[in-house]
Amino acid sequence: MFMGDGFQGMQIFDILIMALIAFLVFRFIAARRRKQQPQMAAAGHAPFQREAHQPAAQPSIFGGSAAPAAARPVINAPAWFNEQSFLAAARNHFQSLQQHWDANEMDKIAEFVTPQMLQFLKQERADLGDAFQSTYIDDLNVQLEGVDDRADKTIATLTFSGVSKTSRFDQGEPFSESWNMERAPGENQPWLVAGIRQNG
C-alpha cells in the first residue's frame, strides 16, 4: 500500500510537471512565431491591422491628407443622426465583426462591410489561415471623429481603441484604429465599413 500510494502520487506530480513544461514550450514557440511574423501576429490581435485604402473619389471627411488626430472633426450630420445610438451600435458592430473574424465567417462579415472592403478582408484573413483566432478586447472605447452628409451617402468616421489579447490572461497590446463608415440614403439603410486605418 505504501509503495502503491507513493507511486500514484508521483504519477500526478509527473503529469503536473509535464503540463507545465508543455505550457512553457507552447509560450516559447508562440513568442518566436510573433517575432518572426510581426505583421501576422498583429493581425491576429485586432481584426483589421492594416489600412484598407479608400478610392481617390472618396477623400477623408477630415479634408486634405492631415492625420485625423491633428485635424478638426467635421460634423455635418443629417437631422436623423443620433450620436449616442450610433456609438452604441458601432460598439456592437466592432464586437460582432471581431467574433466573425476570429471564426473566419466571411459570409457574416459581408453584412457589415462594402464589397471592396470585403475583398480586402478576405485576403487578409486568408493570409492568417483557416484556424480559429482567439481575441479578447478590453477597455474598448469608441469616439466619433466626424460625420459628413453628402448627396449620395452619409459618411462617419470612428476611432476604436483598447487592449487586444490572445487570451484572458494575456497582458495584451494597446490598439487604435479608425473606421470609415457609409450609409446610403433612405430609411433603414445599414451602416457599412468602407475603410480601416491603423493609428500607429
Side-chain angles (χ1 to χ4, degrees), residues 30-197:
R32 282 187 60 190
R33 189 178 300 163
R34 278 194 207 104
K35 288 179 182 176
Q36 291 172 350
Q37 300 175 339
Q39 287 185 336
M40 287 183 65
H45 284 175
F48 317 112
Q49 287 291 321
R50 285 175 246 173
E51 181 173 355
H53 295 284
Q54 293 295 310
Q58 299 177 8
S60 167
I61 66 171
F62 302 107
S65 59
R72 187 174 181 178
V74 175
I75 303 294
N76 175 31
W80 50 260
F81 184 81
N82 182 303
E83 182 174 343
Q84 294 307 313
S85 297
F86 179 73
L87 290 175
R91 178 182 293 272
N92 291 335
H93 237 64
F94 184 95
Q95 292 167 337
S96 295
L97 277 169
Q98 181 65 67
Q99 292 170 358
H100 297 322
W101 177 263
D102 284 348
N104 197 16
E105 297 172 333
M106 301 309 296
D107 56 328
K108 294 183 179 177
I109 288 178
E111 300 173 14
F112 294 87
V113 301
T114 62
Q116 297 85 354
M117 191 68 194
L118 180 62
Q119 292 307 310
F120 173 81
L121 295 177
K122 281 182 176 179
Q123 183 59 53
E124 287 285 291
R125 192 59 176 83
D127 291 344
L128 294 176
D130 295 331
F132 183 86
Q133 301 287 314
S134 179
T135 309
Y136 300 88
I137 303 295
D138 286 348
D139 304 323
L140 180 62
N141 294 309
V142 188
Q143 182 176 345
L144 180 65
E145 301 291 352
V147 182
D148 191 9
D149 187 24
R150 301 180 180 180
D152 59 336
K153 61 189 164 188
T154 302
I155 299 175
T157 300
L158 296 158
T159 295
F160 297 88
S161 60
V163 178
S164 176
K165 302 180 176 183
T166 55
S167 77
R168 294 197 183 279
F169 307 104
D170 187 9
Q171 282 190 333
E173 297 178 6
F175 73 92
S176 174
E177 59 189 42
S178 295
W179 289 15
N180 215 23
M181 302 189 71
E182 298 179 353
R183 185 182 188 275
E187 294 184 10
N188 300 320
Q189 293 293 328
W191 284 98
L192 299 176
V193 181
I196 297 170
R197 179 188 60 241

